[in-house]
Amino acid sequence: MLQSGQFATINELVKREGIAAPYLARTLRLSQLALGIVEAILAGRQPPGLTLEVLRGNVPDDWSKQVGSLMRRAE
């Protein structure tokens, strides 16, 4: 919705959807996940320790660092 131009700011989207801004900001970061991680999640091949809570945490911007740290998570 932001990318399409329907909403100019996160604040507009927050008001429209009736959700908290911090929640939306954490959730939007999921769109920046490395393609390999997204594919693994969609195929059900992600490590058991790779939870939504983990993904909403401090995830590196660099895709190779994401794969290195997130895909090696143990139970």
Side-chain angles (χ1 to χ4, degrees):
M1 289 186 212
L2 288 171
Q3 195 171 24
S4 70
Q6 186 177 354
F7 297 98
T9 66
I10 290 176
N11 286 334
E12 288 179 14
L13 184 55
V14 163
K15 288 177 185 175
R16 162 83 186 314
E17 297 299 320
I19 56 179
Y23 172 82
L24 179 61
R26 286 190 314 269
T27 303
L28 280 174
R29 288 189 303 192
L30 297 175
S31 67
Q32 302 300 314
L33 286 175
L35 182 58
I37 294 173
V38 173
E39 289 174 343
I41 292 169
L42 292 174
R45 293 183 284 107
Q46 77 279 9
L50 185 59
T51 64
L52 183 56
E53 183 177 331
V54 169
L55 292 173
R56 286 193 179 146
N58 189 15
V59 175
D61 292 333
D62 183 87
W63 281 10
S64 62
K65 290 179 182 175
Q66 285 181 14
V67 171
S69 65
L70 297 174
M71 294 303 287
R72 293 184 190 143
R73 293 192 74 86
E75 290 185 13

